[in-house]
Amino acid sequence: MKGIQKLTYSQQIREYIKECILNGEYTPGDKVNEVDIAGRLNVSRAPVREALQHLAEAGLLVSVPQKGKFITSLTARQIYDSYMTGGILEGAAVASTIHLFTETDFEGMEKLVREMAASAKAPNGIHIIAELDNAFHEHMFSKSDNKLLRSLSRRCCQGLSKFLLYQYWTKAFVPEEIHGRHQFVLDAVRSRDPGRIEQAVRTHYLESGRRMARYGSDVTPLRDNEAFPAHAD
């Protein structure tokens, strides 16, 4: 029972740190202090250490010998390459399993895209769409039993856009644009054409990478009226 309780604490601590990243309490490059977190949450250091290790494996933290663990900070090139890799992996996963998709699967994805369209008009729509986006891409992987492929893809993109870069992700695309981008991918999936699917998914992620690269640690922030860079060098 102690092992189960310890794991439960570890999971809760991971969620707490993720929430700190989302609300801006932790930003890329910040040190995450094991003792400080244990004191805040009134727990021993063991589950905190376990939680930090899991977050490091997920790419949200980086360990620096003799210095500790820090929130991952990425350059423009690293961001772009991560999205590009994620697109290749997800595209391959869907294309290789498209023969397993049923009409019910397609209808579930269409429902999510319709909800994106409706949420685009809501005051807090972008945050609702973020959850719908998660669900959409879970559908994309739903037929794949390749755990390594899923893990690598999630590390490349979900950890980036939904945690490390969430505050920027919500600004990179207007809600209506996000709906249109997912409709484009859904149309390709609906075609059951593996080549078209892979191309659509790669295009989807490459554009995300291009826009998100402007928030790399080595990039001077653009003013709101400046254009996105054509590519990440």
Side-chain angles (χ1 to χ4, degrees):
M1 291 300 293
K2 289 184 179 179
I4 294 175
Q5 186 64 27
K6 179 180 177 182
L7 178 61
T8 300
Y9 278 140
S10 175
Q11 290 175 326
Q12 291 176 347
I13 294 165
R14 275 145 54 189
E15 292 307 309
Y16 169 76
I17 295 173
K18 287 180 178 179
E19 186 61 33
C20 287
I21 295 173
L22 287 178
N23 65 28
E25 185 174 347
Y26 284 136
T27 59
D30 286 349
K31 184 175 183 178
V32 181
N33 188 286
E34 183 181 304
V35 176
D36 176 59
I37 292 176
R40 284 198 221 177
L41 302 180
N42 195 28
V43 297
S44 69
R45 293 173 60 178
V48 176
R49 191 176 303 117
E50 181 180 340
L52 296 183
Q53 182 59 40
H54 277 286
L55 293 173
E57 292 171 358
L60 296 181
L61 298 180
V62 59
S63 295
V64 180
Q66 309 303 318
K67 293 186 177 180
K69 289 184 171 61
F70 299 80
I71 302 298
T72 300
S73 179
L74 300 171
T75 65
R77 184 77 229 185
Q78 288 173 318
I79 293 171
Y80 184 81
D81 287 351
S82 292
Y83 274 98
M84 178 182 70
T85 303
I88 291 172
L89 294 174
E90 186 171 311
V94 182
S96 64
T97 58
I98 191 60
H99 61 287
L100 299 175
F101 278 66
T102 66
E103 186 60 31
T104 299
D105 294 319
F106 293 138
E107 290 173 356
M109 296 175 74
E110 287 174 346
K111 181 175 182 294
L112 291 170
V113 172
R114 287 198 302 272
E115 290 176 356
M116 287 182 188
S119 298
K121 301 178 178 64
N124 202 34
I126 190 66
H127 302 293
I128 299 172
I129 289 176
E131 295 302 318
L132 296 172
D133 175 80
N134 284 339
F136 183 89
H137 289 286
E138 282 298 319
H139 268 273
M140 297 281 277
F141 271 106
S142 64
K143 303 302 179 182
S144 175
D145 59 0
N146 189 324
K147 293 181 180 179
L148 179 60
L149 186 64
R150 293 171 68 105
S151 175
L152 289 174
S153 179
R154 283 173 174 159
R155 175 167 181 153
C156 284
C157 297
Q158 286 193 351
L160 283 177
S161 61
K162 297 308 186 297
F163 290 102
L164 297 177
L165 300 172
Y166 183 74
Q167 60 178 312
Y168 306 123
W169 184 86
T170 60
K171 302 173 184 176
F173 297 96
V174 297
E176 293 81 3
E177 203 173 10
I178 296 175
H179 160 253
R181 281 162 41 79
H182 286 82
Q183 184 64 58
F184 176 76
V185 171
L186 176 58
D187 290 343
V189 174
R190 264 284 195 185
S191 75
R192 292 186 182 274
D193 179 341
R196 180 180 172 186
I197 292 169
E198 290 205 53
Q199 182 60 46
V201 175
R202 289 185 188 185
T203 298
H204 179 86
Y205 277 95
L206 285 173
E207 179 62 14
S208 293
R210 185 179 72 81
R211 296 203 186 193
M212 296 304 292
R214 69 181 286 191
Y215 302 111
S217 60
D218 57 340
V219 176
T220 300
L222 297 177
R223 294 188 296 272
D224 290 339
N225 63 344
E226 288 187 290
F228 288 97
H231 58 80
D233 294 322

